[in-house]
Structures are given as structure tokens and as C-alpha cells.
Amino acid sequence: MRVVIAEDSVLLREGLARLLADGGIETVGVAGDGPGLVAAVAEHAPDLAVVDVRMPPSHTDEGLRAALEARSRRPGLPILVLSQYVEQQYATELIGGGAAAVGYLLKERIADVSEFLDAVRRVAAGGTVIDPEVIAQLLSRHRRDDPLESLTAREREVLALMAEGRSNAAVAARLAVTDGAVEKHISGIFSKLGLEPASDDHRRVLAVLAYLGR
């Protein structure tokens, strides 16, 4: 796997490259700002871009905006956002755009290297990996006068786990319920949100994320 890293902190950037290398993943390009990311993606055509949200010059949302630009120029580019913050506007556009191969993880909540490397591989393979805290913040943005208000507490838990990219079996294991109970909750979620369920679990995740991006 070939990766481009966009991170303005040299120490963190080199640390990520070393961590990825230990996992058998090659860093083919690095960037310290948004334009550098777009240029690195164009030059190296990587399998994945690992992107920080806040980069020079304003340290607000340059990383996410650059990720969206890079993806518009290279459709389908897998992007893993790795940040201390949830930048809601551009995060919603990236996650809720109906596109696969997207991840958004919060740096402070990554406690296991193997789980991080697994997330890198899942996103590069076309999967969706979203930190539960990111989902919680995006959900809260849409809660007022929204069909999400009609969901039960358990349905919201199931929805958040679905949005992380977990299978029905994984959701059932996390919540200590049966697979049948999870299927029932999922059916209720899609009914209340006006979304038709699909046989493909990943497509259902994307449908939920697309709804959050409306």
C-alpha cells in the first residue's frame, strides 16, 4: 500500500510514516499544507491519503478542504482524516457525500496501534471508519426538527455503530443483543428516516451518512 501524509507537524508526520512502515505500508509523499497535499496526490497517485484537518496558513480547515479538492481531481481517492477536532461543515461534506473509502478518527482517542493500522487498511480497501465521537457531533447538528428525534436510544446506538462501518454481527456483539434484535433496530431506523434498507451492509452505512450530509 502506498500512502501520502498531510500533516504540518514534522515530528508527528515522521512518527506516522514510521508507524505505517512498521505495518508494511509505504509513505510515498508528505505535505505540510493543503496545496502540498493536492500536489502530492497528483504526483504519486497513492492508495490512501492520511490528512490532518488544521494546517497552514490559518490552521482551521485547510486539510479537509484540500482533501475534498484532491478527491474531486482523483475520484474515489481513499481518505483517512486524523485530527484533534471535528470540523462539521467539511466533515459532513466528506462523509455524507455518498462516497466510500472514507475515515475520520480523533487523534486523542487512538489508543491501539493495531486498530489504527486496521483502520488504514479498511479505508484503503474502500471501507468506512468513523470515530463514534465524530458521529455523535454530526448527529447533534441535525437533531432539532429532524427525524432522528424519533429514534429510540438503542436505535441511535445501532445507528452510530453502523456509521462506524460495523457489521450486524459486530453491532450485536458490542451491544450484547441477538443478530435478530439488531436487524429489527436497523429496520426501524430506516423506516423512521425514510431510507430503504439494502442487502449490502456498507451501502446501508453510506445511506445513513448521506442522510447526515443533507
Side-chain angles (χ1 to χ4, degrees):
M1 186 191 308
R2 303 166 68 255
V3 173
V4 163
I5 299 173
E7 165 65 57
D8 65 303
S9 168
V10 175
L11 289 178
L12 182 54
R13 192 166 66 217
E14 293 302 316
L16 279 172
R18 176 62 63 86
L19 187 154
L20 292 170
D22 290 343
I25 300 170
E26 180 185 6
T27 298
V28 295
V30 296
D33 56 25
L37 167 61
V38 175
V41 167
E43 177 182 356
H44 299 288
D47 300 307
L48 173 76
V50 179
V51 183
D52 188 18
V53 169
R54 301 190 174 187
M55 292 195 295
S58 69
H59 293 278
T60 53
D61 54 22
E62 285 89 346
L64 269 179
R65 287 192 281 113
L68 288 168
E69 181 179 350
R71 192 159 190 165
S72 70
R73 297 187 181 190
R74 186 165 179 255
L77 170 69
I79 294 174
L80 175 59
V81 176
L82 187 60
S83 182
Q84 292 177 295
Y85 312 94
V86 179
E87 207 300 319
Q88 292 195 356
Q89 177 182 350
Y90 291 102
T92 298
E93 185 175 347
L94 177 66
I95 297 169
V102 171
Y104 201 127
L105 300 178
L106 297 180
K107 293 176 181 178
E108 64 182 23
R109 291 168 55 85
I110 298 174
D112 186 279
V113 171
S114 63
E115 287 186 5
F116 170 68
L117 292 175
D118 179 64
V120 168
R121 295 187 179 99
R122 286 170 62 189
V123 173
T128 305
V129 181
I130 312 296
D131 190 292
E133 180 61 26
V134 175
I135 293 298
Q137 292 194 35
L138 295 181
L139 285 173
S140 67
R141 183 182 181 189
H142 295 270
R143 194 149 288 163
R144 180 175 296 177
D145 299 325
D146 195 281
L148 284 171
E149 281 295 316
S150 65
L151 300 185
T152 66
R154 178 47 60 91
E155 285 171 342
R156 289 179 183 175
E157 289 180 311
V158 172
L159 176 60
L161 291 170
M162 287 171 60
E164 290 180 45
R166 298 183 184 275
S167 66
N168 287 9
V171 172
R174 174 64 68 89
L175 299 179
V177 298
T178 65
D179 288 357
V182 172
E183 291 175 4
K184 182 178 178 180
H185 289 311
I186 291 174
S187 178
I189 290 168
F190 279 99
S191 176
K192 292 176 180 178
L193 300 184
L195 299 169
E196 295 184 5
S199 60
D200 185 280
D201 185 64
H202 184 65
R203 288 175 57 199
R204 296 206 305 272
V205 171
L206 295 178
V208 172
L209 294 175
Y211 169 81
L212 295 177
R214 290 191 309 186

